[in-house]
Amino acid sequence: MKNVLLASTFLVTMTGSQSENQEVMAIQPEPVIEIIEEEVNLINGRIDNREELIEAMAFVESRGNPSVIGDTDLGSPSVGLLQIRPIMVREVNRILRNQGLDKKFKYSDRSSGDKSIEMFNIWADAYHLNSSYEKMARNWNGGPKGYKKPATAHYWNKVKNYIKTNL
């Protein structure tokens, strides 16, 4: 990858006099990994952490209003800060069950900003620990293969624009 440069460990040996008490000086620096900041920013959309991503997504989804009821195009409406549909509540509860946890969310929890963020984090930890912020956001918007859908590119651009102008 172009954005990671590796410098291997090296050994420099300097010798002193040729006597019996010959001194050897060795310099052994640690391996160096340098990540070029500009290219990393292009990968994650200039978002520094998940909290910034959530803030931007919440603005795009609901203008930051946890009581918003969204579209009803797919039968039941999306609700809350992150516009969560009932199927996502069921998925988060399934993840929690699989982890052996006794916690369970209700549909009404979608209108709580804190619980919406908690559900997002449970989902993201289960499926996107090593994903870019773009993939995470586009999948949130468009489902499990949302990052491949052209329609979610517009959503990602809105998220990035919020970051550029507000954070």
Side-chain angles (χ1 to χ4, degrees):
M1 237 168 129
K2 287 184 181 178
N3 65 334
V4 177
L5 302 174
L6 294 175
S8 56
T9 304
F10 63 93
L11 175 65
V12 176
T13 304
M14 298 173 59
T15 59
S17 65
Q18 296 295 330
S19 68
E20 291 179 16
N21 297 331
Q22 185 177 23
E23 291 183 27
V24 175
M25 185 173 121
I27 302 170
Q28 296 178 334
E30 296 292 320
V32 177
I33 298 175
E34 181 181 330
I35 298 174
I36 300 171
E37 185 176 344
E38 183 178 341
E39 291 186 17
V40 170
N41 285 339
L42 292 174
I43 292 169
N44 71 19
R46 291 185 175 84
I47 299 170
D48 293 325
N49 55 56
R50 193 185 290 176
E51 290 76 24
E52 288 182 2
L53 175 67
I54 292 169
E55 179 182 336
M57 289 173 56
F59 181 82
V60 170
E61 294 281 1
S62 67
R63 300 274 190 241
N65 183 348
S67 62
V68 167
I69 296 176
D71 66 78
T72 57
D73 294 343
L74 297 176
S76 50
S78 54
V79 173
L81 191 67
L82 293 168
Q83 292 295 283
I84 299 173
R85 294 190 184 274
I87 193 167
M88 182 57 75
V89 176
R90 291 191 300 271
E91 177 60 13
V92 168
N93 286 335
R94 188 191 68 75
I95 292 166
L96 291 169
R97 269 192 318 276
N98 287 345
Q99 293 174 345
L101 300 173
D102 201 23
K103 184 172 185 110
K104 186 174 181 179
F105 289 95
K106 300 176 279 197
Y107 294 147
S108 60
D109 291 336
R110 298 177 294 164
S111 59
S112 162
D114 289 340
K115 289 182 181 180
S116 291
I117 292 170
E118 187 177 357
M119 283 188 266
F120 175 84
N121 281 321
I122 291 166
W123 169 84
D125 287 346
Y127 295 113
H128 293 285
L129 275 180
N130 296 314
S131 295
S132 68
Y133 294 135
E134 177 179 1
K135 183 175 182 181
M136 195 181 301
R138 290 179 70 179
N139 280 13
W140 182 259
N141 181 251
K145 295 187 181 181
Y147 71 100
K148 294 181 178 181
K149 297 177 182 177
T152 64
H154 180 66
Y155 175 80
W156 176 240
N157 285 332
K158 287 181 182 180
V159 171
K160 287 193 305 184
N161 286 337
Y162 177 85
I163 295 293
K164 286 177 188 172
T165 58
N166 295 287
L167 296 179

